[in-house]
Amino acid sequence: MSIYYPNEDRQLLAVDCVIFGFDNHELKLLLIKRNMEPGKGLWSLMGGFPKRNEGLDQAAERVLKQLTGLENVYMEQLYAYGEVDRDPGERVVSVAYYSLIKIGDYDKELVSGFDAHWVPVGEIPELVFDHGVMVEKALRRLHRRARIQPIGFELLPEKFSMPELQSLYEGIFQKELDKRNFRKKILTMGFLDKLVEKDKSSSKKGAFLYKFNPEKYQELLDKGFYFSLDV
Amino acid sequence: MSIYYPNEDRQLLAVDCVIFGFDNHELKLLLIKRNMEPGKGLWSLMGGFPKRNEGLDQAAERVLKQLTGLENVYMEQLYAYGEVDRDPGERVVSVAYYSLIKIGDYDKELVSGFDAHWVPVGEIPELVFDHGVMVEKALRRLHRRARIQPIGFELLPEKFSMPELQSLYEGIFQKELDKRNFRKKILTMGFLDKLVEKDKSSSKKGAFLYKFNPEKYQELLDKGFYFSLDV
DNA sequence: GCAAAAGTGTTACGAATACACCCATGA
DNA sequence: TCATGGGTGTATTCGTAACACTTTTGC
């Protein structure tokens, strides 16, 4: 017990992770079947409890790594949920994070060990506690972010074609986009490198592959450039 | 101790409030001289500790009311700060909130009792712990919000003139705006009611007063209207 | 009558939108 | 040769930005 704040309540703190992936032209969420009470067996976000000597961000990273084996992926704090009764087991304040991962990269064994499943965002089942609220907020945040930052590249493999990128944005915004305008806008921004390779997996002609160039993107930012995609 | 999560660390949780006001053509922040260790005597945000049976939002509202006497004002969660060493006294996770108040309304006696002062945002002193980081984030959030929501009316008295409103936005964005374009944009949005009264306090001619009309604003939102001020 | 702030319209530019056809290839 | 998805350019519209003079009135 500290000498400074001896009379204050100590409380239980959690982190929960909203994990997005993109696959087969669909935006998906990684959900688990909760393996402890209260709410055992219900669909849930992956979560955990920060240790006394562990920062919140580190705790969220640990939880993500536990489930997916991934580190150094895009991760951002979403919101702190502090309703007294949000967890029927005990008063728990949960700080939600969301992360974007390349769906090809995660560790399949870990994921299936946790009884975790990729669920399309259009088919999210009822979730335990207030996890549904967290997911909705994460989706709204993702929409906003996708408009003002080239966030989509976190969700795609390193090399991707323009049709793939477009279909990602269409998946995020749930809206069809005009391919001519989309290409024009993205390419004139100037932070994509066109490769000579083609992806022939989805057409006979094949689609040229591109790579995100973070250095060029940073240069643009430094010059006052604003990414903006109005859909 | 709960039967569900018996082995997890309980931790100290705090809320801190970034309180904005607008006065004399300047955006200001309400800061206090911290009255306890660690950091006694340093400039600080007003904060407090949520009780075990108190939601985070309620705790933040309580803290705001303690200092200003105000309730039912604009208040929004900003971010949860969870670095292990952010408070040298003990590991404390702090959830920061920011609020916008009408600077004429607060309780002067309470405020001076806490040794609190309104400081222009351009002249913020060094703050205790990571409170400076919180303030920076609050400013960025305020900027973003002010572009996409008619947030400014929270900071002005009920009746205000167009030059006052413009000077508020100029204060928030630290940028001069063209008055013709500003009026045009705001008025064509259609959620302000023009009154017959004039405010003669700052000119001989007098400036017509306006009132924000929340019902009209809600109608517009329902029709798919987006507030947007690009500065 | 003059200083000081309030109020008003028009033009020019750039960005977003809508839109239709040719190309390359494997089957 | 044809079906499939990839790739390209232009005209129109709309919103934003730039810009200068008149009005009111207290002193």
Side-chain angles (χ1 to χ4, degrees), chain B residues 200-211:
Chain B
K200 295 217 166 191
S201 67
S202 71
S203 80
K204 292 150 191 168
K205 184 178 179 181
F208 280 104
L209 290 169
Y210 292 81
K211 248 174 138 163

Side-chain angles (χ1 to χ4, degrees), chain B residues 168-230:
Chain B
L168 168 59
Y169 277 97
E170 290 178 338
I172 292 177
F173 295 121
Q174 295 290 318
K175 189 179 166 186
E176 306 219 330
L177 303 174
D178 181 283
K179 63 179 171 175
R180 283 165 295 189
N181 293 336
F182 182 81
R183 296 175 88 94
K184 201 188 316 172
K185 189 140 189 186
I186 296 286
L187 288 175
T188 55
M189 289 182 181
F191 50 72
L192 289 190
D193 293 338
K194 185 175 184 174
L195 308 179
V196 290
E197 305 166 64
K198 280 188 160 186
D199 165 29
K200 295 217 166 191
S201 67
S202 71
S203 80
K204 292 150 191 168
K205 184 178 179 181
F208 280 104
L209 290 169
Y210 292 81
K211 248 174 138 163
F212 180 60
N213 184 328
E215 291 82 19
K216 277 193 197 156
Y217 180 63
Q218 190 54 50
E219 268 179 49
L220 289 168
L221 287 183
D222 295 343
K223 283 184 199 148
F225 161 85
Y226 283 100
F227 181 94
S228 123
L229 211 69
D230 328 77

Side-chain angles (χ1 to χ4, degrees), chain A residues 1-5 7-13 34 36-38 49-58 76-84 87-93 95 97 129 141 144-145 147-148 226, chain B residues 1-6 8-13 34 36-38 49-58 76-84 87-93 95 97 129 141 144-145 147-148 226:
Chain A
M1 187 84 4
S2 119
I3 56 165
Y4 291 111
Y5 314 114
N7 302 317
E8 308 299 339
D9 294 340
R10 267 69 183 167
Q11 306 190 30
L12 197 49
L13 202 60
R34 189 170 157 96
M36 60 166 136
E37 296 293 351
F49 299 96
K51 310 292 175 202
R52 204 184 292 280
N53 60 352
E54 183 185 43
L56 284 179
D57 295 355
Q58 285 73 47
E76 187 183 330
Q77 188 188 303
L78 193 60
Y79 199 75
Y81 291 85
E83 293 297 308
V84 173
D87 183 325
E90 179 178 345
R91 196 276 166 90
V92 182
V93 169
V95 181
Y97 282 76
F129 308 162
R141 182 78 65 94
R144 202 166 58 226
R145 275 291 139 106
R147 279 164 209 269
I148 58 175
Y226 284 100
Chain B
M1 188 86 0
S2 122
I3 56 167
Y4 291 111
Y5 314 114
E8 309 299 340
D9 293 341
R10 267 69 183 168
Q11 305 190 31
L12 196 50
L13 200 61
R34 189 170 157 95
M36 59 166 138
E37 294 295 348
F49 299 96
K51 309 292 176 200
R52 203 183 292 281
N53 61 352
E54 181 186 44
L56 283 180
D57 295 354
Q58 286 72 49
E76 187 183 330
Q77 189 188 302
L78 193 59
Y79 199 75
Y81 291 85
E83 293 297 309
V84 173
D87 183 326
E90 179 178 345
R91 197 277 166 89
V92 182
V93 170
V95 181
Y97 282 76
F129 308 162
R141 182 78 65 94
R144 201 165 61 226
R145 275 291 139 104
R147 278 165 211 269
I148 59 175
Y226 283 100

